[in-house]
Amino acid sequence: MTPYAPRFVRLLVRLTLVGTVSAGMFIHAGCSPTKGDHKTAASTSEVKPNKPVYTSQDRALDLASFEYVWTTIRDKHYDATMGGLDWPAVRDELKPRVEAASSREEARDVMHELVHRLGKSHFGIVPAAAYADDSADGVVTNDTAAAPSETNGAGGVQTAEGSASKPKPARDRTGEGSTGIDLRIDNASAMVTDVAPGSAAELAGIKPGWLITGIDGNDVPAVIKRMDESFPDSTSKAYYIAEAVAGQLGGRTGDTVSIDFIDERDERITKELTLAPMEGTKAQFGNLPTLYVFTRSVRLPENVQYFKLNIFFDPASVMAALGESVKEAQTNNADGFIIDLRGNPGGIGAMAMGFAGWFVQDKDQKLGTMSMRSGTMNFLVNPRTRGFSGPLAVLVDGMSGSTSEIFAAGMQDLKRARLFGTRTAGAALPSTFEVLPNQDRFQYAIADYTSVSGRSIEGNGVSPDEEVKLDRASLLAGRDPVIDAAVKWIKSAPRTTVMQTHSPSLHEGAKP
């Protein structure tokens, strides 16, 4: 379930991506934070030594960027009324703070607040630094990189009961290095849920089910508590918190990070890991920084085909991989198919239509509708001639966003798939990125999305048909309860019940 979100996702804590392609225009979206969230990443990152002087030219560029953001939202927001918000008054209130800013970070914080007044996801400011090529050859040259600790070795060291790693010097956490650890928040604890094959974490012997209690001397439970209190009612709380913790694990390739764990014996242990390149293939798209995309396809022992995608990008490679997985399922006469979108923050929206086409054979079906000021656009399914017609399970959780939600909600409404896991992030607004005068990137929503049945996913999320939570005991035993539940349903669902033999209406379908 490893998402390996790109470094700009870590900068904004929850910048999930989604998109669609229409009339040659690239549209994507990210879940930008709501009230108060704009300071959880950009403002809490370490201040680098030798901070550059903030000049009058810098301030002029930031003022121009502020005006650009305000004007763009005024002219292009899908809701011309801004939900009743007095947009000119917001400008008059916040602009003086940009004029009085003493750094780009301060000015950026004001712009974050400006867009978050809208109270919607997929609005955010991505710092220009997120686009810097900072991982060439895996050599660390930034003087903010962590100094070697007293303990070293790829496998880490075990410390005395109750001890914790010592605080380390400030480290730039915005690089493309990875520990290979994926995590979720479980009962105020950060729990390892997956370890990437061949990663530093796997080499160090870290296992799913371990609990993370400290990172570079920082108290992880305290971070979780603060984040939990900040978003009491948000459907994206799970995403916010997990990304806040995961962001502390990031850095440049070659950096080291000290992580305190509670292992399977409930003993405290510290591991020192050297960050390695992220899993997957580099992909570049539009105004986005480098992304890493990977798929995993395997036939489970129960004769069920399993397919995992971490992010909806690199359509040519991903669609080819899905096609091969479907072919393998057909060759082996698989009893069912599982698509795992847990931790998948979204990506190119049109890919949801292509995904659905492998499993929906009827024509004139859609996954939902995108509404803009200029009109509407349907997410039409593109049926394949030799798709898979057996039982289909889709796995989701609180870190599944945007395109993942569009696919899951659409397939659920069409009654073509059964959803397992936990409620999704509730962040499904299509958006786009533009470059600001100060070279930061501005992400803004240009449309609203509703599912086939008319459900609004934004702020609500998609509820699974069968709620199944990950638990530590199962992970420590080498089991994934969400996959187990999906397999159990597939094995009990007669394959003929999902065969589509006619063209149902948009609110009907072959019921699993």
Side-chain angles (χ1 to χ4, degrees):
M1 297 172 289
T2 313
Y4 295 112
R7 61 188 184 276
F8 74 102
V9 178
R10 305 302 192 197
L11 284 169
L12 286 183
V13 180
R14 62 165 301 215
L15 185 59
T16 49
L17 309 171
V18 67
T20 184
V21 177
S22 173
M25 177 176 63
F26 171 59
I27 305 172
H28 51 105
C31 310
S32 26
T34 50
K35 58 180 180 180
D37 184 41
H38 65 284
K39 293 186 179 181
T40 57
S43 298
T44 58
S45 59
E46 298 88 350
V47 177
K48 298 182 179 182
N50 303 319
K51 186 176 179 181
V53 175
Y54 189 59
T55 67
S56 59
Q57 287 182 317
D58 292 331
R59 181 176 290 104
L61 289 172
D62 288 338
L63 279 168
S65 297
F66 177 89
E67 291 289 352
Y68 188 98
V69 170
W70 184 87
T71 302
T72 300
I73 293 174
R74 181 197 65 187
D75 297 342
K76 297 183 179 180
H77 193 283
Y78 60 90
D79 178 7
T81 69
M82 311 294 178
L85 191 65
D86 188 340
W87 199 234
V90 172
R91 175 184 179 275
D92 293 342
E93 174 192 350
L94 297 181
K95 184 177 179 180
R97 288 171 52 187
V98 180
E99 294 172 331
S102 60
S103 68
R104 175 140 296 159
E105 288 76 13
E106 287 186 24
R108 186 182 294 128
D109 276 347
V110 179
M111 283 180 266
H112 278 304
E113 183 172 345
L114 172 68
V115 298
H116 299 146
R117 290 289 181 91
L118 297 166
K120 297 292 184 179
S121 72
H122 300 79
F123 287 86
I125 310 297
V126 184
Y131 292 76
D133 183 5
D134 55 11
S135 59
D137 301 323
V139 178
V140 179
T141 57
N142 190 299
D143 55 8
T144 62
S149 69
E150 295 178 3
T151 59
N152 49 53
V157 295
Q158 185 166 342
T159 62
E161 181 71 21
S163 66
S165 57
K166 297 180 179 181
K168 300 174 69 174
R171 171 170 52 86
D172 184 352
R173 293 170 176 158
T174 62
E176 297 180 11
S178 170
T179 61
I181 292 174
D182 190 26
L183 60 87
R184 296 293 186 274
I185 306 304
D186 178 55
N187 295 325
S189 298
M191 182 170 63
V192 177
T193 53
D194 189 41
V195 177
S199 65
E202 184 184 61
L203 295 175
I206 297 166
K207 305 291 185 184
W210 285 23
L211 303 180
I212 300 174
T213 60
I215 302 174
D216 285 342
N218 296 317
D219 186 348
V220 169
V223 172
I224 294 173
K225 184 176 185 296
R226 289 195 299 271
M227 295 290 290
D228 183 67
E229 293 172 347
S230 298
F231 307 101
D233 303 316
S234 174
T235 58
S236 298
K237 180 193 293 189
Y239 196 103
Y240 293 152
I241 301 175
E243 284 295 334
V245 176
Q248 296 189 32
L249 296 173
R252 300 167 182 247
T253 302
D255 281 358
T256 59
V257 56
S258 294
I259 312 174
D260 305 317
F261 296 96
I262 297 177
D263 66 12
E264 69 274 14
R265 298 178 299 275
D266 287 331
E267 295 180 355
R268 296 184 181 275
I269 186 172
T270 296
K271 297 284 187 176
E272 180 102 355
L273 303 183
T274 299
L275 303 184
M278 293 183 184
E279 179 183 6
T281 304
K282 281 189 176 184
Q284 194 72 43
F285 200 93
N287 281 325
L288 298 175
T290 301
L291 304 165
Y292 286 81
V293 184
F294 72 81
T295 61
R296 297 177 188 169
S297 179
V298 64
R299 184 161 64 101
L300 302 178
E302 299 85 356
N303 193 34
V304 172
Q305 192 70 21
Y306 171 90
F307 184 84
K308 165 74 177 177
L309 174 65
N310 72 316
I311 190 168
F312 281 93
F313 277 96
D314 193 10
S317 297
V318 168
M319 296 308 294
L322 177 59
E324 286 299 316
S325 191
V326 169
K327 182 178 179 181
E328 183 179 353
Q330 293 168 332
T331 300
N332 295 309
N333 195 26
D335 294 325
F337 204 104
I338 295 174
I339 295 179
D340 193 345
L341 298 179
R342 290 174 293 176
N344 186 319
I348 300 174
M351 291 179 66
M353 298 182 273
F355 259 57
W358 285 107
F359 305 95
V360 176
Q361 281 74 57
D362 292 314
K363 297 180 180 180
D364 302 321
Q365 304 296 294
K366 68 177 183 178
L367 300 177
T369 301
M370 185 171 70
S371 302
M372 302 165 284
R373 281 196 189 185
S374 58
T376 61
M377 190 191 85
N378 292 323
F379 285 87
L380 296 175
V381 177
N382 304 314
R384 299 277 181 163
T385 56
R386 292 184 57 82
F388 183 81
S389 58
L392 173 65
V394 178
L395 314 186
V396 295
D397 66 6
M399 296 185 73
S400 304
S402 297
T403 304
S404 293
E405 295 181 284
I406 290 172
F407 177 79
M411 297 297 277
Q412 186 181 54
D413 279 357
L414 291 174
K415 303 188 187 307
R416 179 58 189 92
R418 185 170 179 83
L419 273 54
F420 296 82
T422 56
R423 184 170 61 172
T424 63
L429 300 184
S431 73
T432 188
F433 276 78
E434 293 189 18
V435 181
L436 296 176
N438 66 4
Q439 297 306 300
D440 283 354
R441 270 62 167 181
F442 168 41
Q443 181 195 22
Y444 61 95
I446 47 78
D448 196 8
Y449 166 80
T450 53
S451 72
V452 175
S453 63
R455 289 183 292 169
S456 175
I457 306 304
E458 174 70 16
N460 299 308
V462 182
S463 296
D465 298 292
E466 188 171 333
E467 184 176 25
V468 187
K469 297 181 179 179
L470 293 173
D471 65 273
R472 188 176 184 227
S474 296
L475 291 172
L476 289 174
R479 305 293 304 178
D480 185 324
V482 186
I483 293 178
D484 290 345
V487 169
K488 181 179 179 180
W489 168 74
I490 286 172
K491 300 298 286 187
S492 66
R495 183 163 178 170
T496 55
T497 63
V498 296
M499 294 291 290
Q500 295 184 9
T501 57
H502 68 292
S503 296
S505 70
L506 292 176
H507 297 278
E508 297 177 347
K511 189 173 183 179

